Amino acid sequence: MGMRDNPQVQRALQFVDALEKRDRVALVGLAAFFAVLFLYFGMWAPANEYLRDSLEYRNRQLSVLQYMRASEQHARDVAGSKRQTVMAGQSLLTQISRSARQHQIQPNRMQPEGSNAVSVWFDSVAFNDFIRWLEQLTVEQGIDIKQISIDREDEPGKVNARIVLGA
């Protein structure tokens, strides 16, 4: 059964045949116009927008990759210096306690966790001092934060903290 055998198609063809020639030309022109609109808005515009979005995404990812490649050596140097700093002959426990004294914060308890980690507890320590101490440990001494838990105190600016630091 072909398309011309469909009763609705036959009625449409009869309707078009009954029109005057000028009206048929106008109808064909209108149908062509709608076909072009459909092709543009239904296919070309979405495909073009997808292409543009994909190119923008690719360019963003490429710039991230270029940044990472440019800073790779610096990251490797920092990672190497961190390891050397931690292994400079002092025990991890000694480095942590000395650093806490320098920042005038006093841990309530310190406990070794194996050969390369230390748990440290603080009660009611000034948050800003605590964060500066952590920054100095991680950036300057190369000690990593393995685990951290910070709870605020009723007194503004004070916190309780438990932290596991490691080499």
Side-chain angles (χ1 to χ4, degrees), residues 128-146:
N128 290 339
D129 295 339
F130 178 70
I131 294 299
R132 279 189 217 100
W133 172 69
L134 283 178
E135 179 184 25
Q136 191 263 337
L137 280 177
T138 58
V139 173
E140 294 177 19
Q141 294 188 24
I143 297 174
D144 295 325
I145 298 171
K146 303 288 186 185

Side-chain angles (χ1 to χ4, degrees), residues 23-51:
D23 292 339
R24 271 190 298 232
V25 169
L27 184 62
V28 169
L30 187 60
F33 175 74
F34 281 117
V36 168
L37 282 179
F38 173 76
L39 288 173
Y40 180 77
F41 289 109
M43 299 172 127
W44 178 259
N48 196 32
E49 184 177 344
Y50 176 78
L51 175 66

Side-chain angles (χ1 to χ4, degrees), residues 3-21:
M3 222 170 133
R4 288 192 178 263
D5 295 336
N6 187 328
Q8 292 171 338
V9 172
Q10 286 179 354
R11 271 185 281 187
L13 289 174
Q14 287 172 356
F15 174 76
V16 171
D17 286 340
L19 293 175
E20 291 182 26
K21 183 173 178 157

Side-chain angles (χ1 to χ4, degrees), residues 114-133:
S115 62
N116 62 349
V118 174
S119 290
V120 186
W121 286 265
F122 291 94
D123 287 335
S124 193
V125 64
F127 178 75
N128 290 339
D129 295 339
F130 178 70
I131 294 299
R132 279 189 217 100
W133 172 69

Side-chain angles (χ1 to χ4, degrees), residues 64-87:
V64 168
L65 176 64
Q66 289 170 341
Y67 170 76
M68 290 175 67
R69 284 185 177 160
S71 60
E72 176 185 15
Q73 189 58 46
H74 176 69
R76 289 184 190 279
D77 292 344
V78 168
S81 68
K82 284 176 76 172
R83 300 274 183 256
Q84 292 170 357
T85 304
V86 171
M87 304 301 175

